[in-house]
Amino acid sequence: MGSVRSHRYSIVSSEEDGMKLATIAVPNGFGNGNVTKVHTERQHQNRFVRKDGHCNVQFINMSEKGQRYLADIFTTCVDVRWRWMLLIFCLSFLLSWLFFGFVFWLVALCYGDLNNKTQICVSNVDSFTAAFLFSVETQTTIGYGYRYVTEECPVAVFVVVFQSIVGCIIDAFIIGAVMAKMAKPKKRNETLVFSHFATVAMRDGKLCLMWRVGNLRKSHLVEAHVRAQLLKTRTTAEGEFIPLDQMDIDVGFDSGIDRIFLVSPITIVHEIDEDSPFYEMSRQELETSEFEIVVILEGMVEATAMTTQCRSSYLGSEILWGYRFEPVLFEEKNYYKVDYSRFENTYEVPSTPHCSARELAERKSDASSSRNSFCYENEVALEKVEMEEEFDVEENQEVRGVEVGVLEHTNTDVVSDSDSNLDSLPLETRPLTAESEI
């Protein structure tokens, strides 16, 4: 089956195309060819977003950072690492047990239960260890039956009720934070991948910037859509320096093509048109410019219905001008096969122009205008020839009309002369006329 593209980002091809694909060598081991592009001569550029999606940003000199983080303690617990989360989990229970154990020990001390054989408030609590065990049994609702609160001490009854309420609150908070951290869709990004390189090549007669995304799981990403932004330093007309100016890169938001059905790897396409920030950028300028393209894939995880976001970035040295991605989706007898070993592979397209999209559009417009002017000249010449032919025809008609008039006048004169001659002849010499002529 040949290439079928019902969607702008779809890639459905077969192994019968017979294309001679030349792969390229990439740093992570994909590809087996040679890249003519030189990356070692470029100066090292810091990334704003790493390849794994983490932002390369550090915050310093934040005032009241601790207070602000404690004000949103739940989000802080969800965002911290698991080692700190486990520490908070254990300390929250241990400290509450120790606190209420100390309270029960003070109650027993005030009522003299530590020195008496018969306790008034809490039975069989005659030491701090016993008070701690009673606190654990109360908060965890174990209830072995050996230690219990008597009805003769209302203070101990109140402490038991208060500890039960506090224990429920701690359970709800800690378990909720742990569950939220476990259900966090951050790890779903491990099975969403971006291509290591982006490419620039012609597609449908236009110069396009392309990169590839893939989903390694069979579970779908619901409402998946892509976005891209260009990060580049610039200076405004007023002289203001903006370190990382963010500019949107159109990937089909207005037409809805940015929403994708991510079942197989898809090539995202950005048309370099008049509104594109790369419109005036040629191959040489692309290789020497310092910028970063941040690509974002968002969607809802099918299992949890939680929104996830996968990020990556491309520097100018990671954009291959004049290359396309190899097909990864092939049609079998009863199904389609995705070959992820070709996910990073590209092949060179020598016919890709090295000029900018603006220069390419100007060349096309010049060629079309020259063709239009040639056609106009031809039309003028044809109209002139037609007019001359019409003029010649009219002249011929006028000449013929004059000649016919002269002939008619001559014939009339001849007939009148002959009639007069006949009248002058005598009757005997006149010619006889036939009856039919009469």
Side-chain angles (χ1 to χ4, degrees), residues 164-194:
S164 300
I165 296 173
V166 173
C168 291
I169 294 175
I170 293 175
D171 291 344
F173 180 84
I174 297 299
I175 294 176
V178 171
M179 291 299 298
K181 191 171 182 63
M182 291 177 62
K184 194 174 180 181
K186 186 177 180 180
K187 294 300 180 182
R188 180 66 172 87
N189 299 343
E190 300 295 333
T191 52
L192 298 173
V193 292
F194 287 91

Side-chain angles (χ1 to χ4, degrees), residues 298-311:
E298 293 179 342
M300 291 189 299
V301 181
E302 190 177 28
T304 60
M306 299 183 70
T307 303
T308 183
Q309 185 182 88
C310 183
R311 298 176 295 269

Side-chain angles (χ1 to χ4, degrees), residues 30-42:
F30 294 99
N32 54 8
N34 296 323
V35 184
T36 59
K37 197 173 186 178
V38 179
H39 305 293
T40 57
E41 297 179 358
R42 291 178 56 88

Side-chain angles (χ1 to χ4, degrees), residues 52-162:
D52 57 1
H54 292 88
C55 296
N56 188 23
V57 180
Q58 295 183 0
F59 302 107
I60 60 174
N61 300 329
M62 296 176 58
S63 60
E64 301 178 354
K65 178 180 178 181
Q67 297 179 6
R68 297 177 185 273
Y69 274 57
L70 288 176
D72 189 12
I73 186 64
F74 185 81
T75 305
T76 303
C77 292
V78 174
D79 289 340
V80 296
R81 295 181 177 272
W82 272 108
R83 61 176 72 95
W84 298 109
M85 188 64 206
L86 294 176
L87 181 62
I88 294 172
F89 181 87
C90 297
L91 288 178
S92 61
F93 289 105
L94 287 175
L95 292 178
S96 63
W97 295 339
L98 288 172
F99 173 76
F100 285 103
F102 180 72
V103 171
F104 284 119
W105 180 80
L106 287 179
V107 171
L109 179 64
C110 293
Y111 283 88
D113 292 345
L114 299 180
N115 298 325
N116 299 330
K117 293 183 179 179
T118 303
Q119 289 75 22
I120 300 175
C121 291
V122 183
S123 178
N124 298 319
V125 174
D126 52 2
S127 63
F128 180 78
T129 305
F132 175 76
L133 291 175
F134 177 72
S135 174
V136 173
E137 294 174 7
T138 301
Q139 189 167 334
T140 57
T141 65
I142 294 176
Y144 290 111
Y146 182 70
R147 302 175 183 85
Y148 55 91
V149 178
T150 63
E151 59 186 9
E152 299 176 1
C153 184
V155 177
V157 174
F158 173 78
V159 174
V160 168
V161 173
F162 185 71

Side-chain angles (χ1 to χ4, degrees), residues 23-33 35 196-197 320 344-346:
T23 58
I24 63 171
V26 296
N28 56 1
F30 294 99
N32 54 8
V35 184
H196 187 82
F197 287 101
L320 305 178
E344 298 284 353
N345 291 353
T346 60

